[in-house]
């Protein structure tokens, strides 16, 4: 049960397709304490995280897959702007962002399905500007784990708001000991 | 925005009431790769985590709040069996567990609402068998952060299954660097 598993497209789509509804169930209508608070200067709130996932749908996942299938390693991916959301989310409500993310994810997955990728396609290569050669399956797996990285971050950001409120129980609550692990 | 915030009952209930639908959106109908895999011997799968949350509704949160309100510090809480779910979940489907958790959480929150707690109640004290004196508000805040600890764990357990599949991107995916932080 514990061996990290090989890539499977249907399993990956099962996860990718559930992320918008998961975030919707957790965040729609949430009080500002949870929706807008972050972990300190320069860190992200729930609102920022949903904005970042939207930016990924627009500029990262399917655009990079298209580059792999069209140009292979000949054309490196465009670097991904991890801060695009601060401009693009401006003036929107969290509910608007949740709707936008759900719509874009649905479009991305419809395009992925229409590609009708077969196992030999999964080993096709592209070139990441910093990481070097990567395969189509690594890109699609990363898309799913990127969702999970931000669900992980989101649970930590929310928990942070009650760091003091839990009193001595903080000793037992693993999420309060997570210091974040993403590369800068 | 970053200062850990004081306890507020309505905000806490807003979070507690969303956890069942969040887990439902993420897990219902998920392939076994995500639903049944864990992080290695003796660790928990998504299935185990939902079972653990059910055990908490039955034996931990509202029962402990009742003890605080009835007996105060005179009667220590019963210790919480963190492994009760391995017996109680046996033979059930993940979908049955999700339904059971949603039902129990709804009942817990109805009982909490019926108590009509007022600010002076939040400072009433009980005695944790290991941590010593704790307040009602600390217990209710911990209930919410306990949900978040297991959402945090769940995102990590799911991500673990694709630890190899993401290839060189693992360097950028914070969730793959989380080693778990809960006390034994």
């Amino acid at each position: 049960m514990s061996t990290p598993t090989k890539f499977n497209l249907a399993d990956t789509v099962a996860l990718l397709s559930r992320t918008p509804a998961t975030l919707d169930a957790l965040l729609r209508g949430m009080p500002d304490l949870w929706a807008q608070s972050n972990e300190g200067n320069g860190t992200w709130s729930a609102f920022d995280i949903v904005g970042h996932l939207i930016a990924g749908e627009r500029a990262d996942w399917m655009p990079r897959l298209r580059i792999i299938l069209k140009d292979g390693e000949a054309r490196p991916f465009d670097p991904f702007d991890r801060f695009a959301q601060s401009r693009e989310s401006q003036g929107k409500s969290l509910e608007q962002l949740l709707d936008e993310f759900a719509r874009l994810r649905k479009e991305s997955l419809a395009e992925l399905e229409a590609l009708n990728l077969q196992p030999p396609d999964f080993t096709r290569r592209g070139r990441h500007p910093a990481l070097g050669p990567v395969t189509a399956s690594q890109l699609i797996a990363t898309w799913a784990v990127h969702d999970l990285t931000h669900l992980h971050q989101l649970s930590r950001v929310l928990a942070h708001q009650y760091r003091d409120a839990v009193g001595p129980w903080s000793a037992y609550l693993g999420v309060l000991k997570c210091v974040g692990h993403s590369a800068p």
Side-chain angles (χ1 to χ4, degrees), chain A:
Chain A
M1 298 291 266
S2 70
T3 316
T5 310
K6 282 195 186 157
F7 175 79
N8 172 291
L9 185 61
D11 285 343
T12 313
V13 169
L15 204 156
L16 287 167
S17 64
R18 280 164 171 80
T19 305
T22 302
L23 294 176
D24 202 275
L26 182 58
L27 296 175
R28 185 172 297 267
M30 270 291 231
D32 279 355
L33 165 65
W34 308 117
Q36 299 291 346
S37 304
N38 62 21
E39 297 173 287
N41 270 346
T43 65
W44 292 359
S45 65
F47 182 87
D48 297 326
I49 290 169
V50 180
H52 171 72
L53 291 170
I54 288 172
E57 293 305 300
R58 289 197 193 286
D60 195 341
W61 310 110
M62 287 304 297
R64 287 180 167 191
L65 185 58
R66 275 180 234 128
I67 292 173
I68 290 178
L69 298 177
K70 182 163 173 289
D71 300 304
E73 291 185 75
R75 178 188 159 192
F77 305 146
D78 303 324
F80 180 43
D81 181 357
R82 291 174 55 248
F83 300 96
Q85 65 272 12
S86 57
R87 295 186 304 277
E88 292 175 12
S89 302
Q90 220 165 10
K92 294 181 183 164
S93 69
L94 178 57
E95 283 64 31
Q96 285 174 303
L97 295 189
L98 289 165
D99 288 340
E100 194 173 346
F101 176 52
R103 183 176 57 75
L104 290 169
R105 174 59 57 90
K106 203 171 164 185
E107 289 173 11
S108 299
L109 293 179
E111 186 187 347
L112 178 64
E113 192 187 353
L115 290 174
N116 191 24
L117 296 179
Q118 299 302 315
D121 296 317
F122 299 146
T123 57
R124 291 174 70 172
R125 286 169 169 240
R127 189 147 51 90
H128 187 284
L131 298 171
V134 290
T135 67
S137 76
Q138 288 168 348
L139 175 69
I140 301 169
T142 298
W143 187 4
V145 179
H146 180 265
D147 281 5
L148 295 170
T149 270
H150 289 291
L151 187 60
H152 185 256
Q153 177 189 28
L154 177 59
S155 65
R156 193 186 68 225
V157 172
L158 299 178
H160 176 75
Q161 313 312 320
Y162 264 12
R163 188 172 287 283
D164 295 339
V166 299
W169 264 293
S170 61
Y172 292 173
L173 294 162
V175 67
L176 295 175
K177 295 173 194 159
C178 181
V179 291
H181 320 269
S182 285

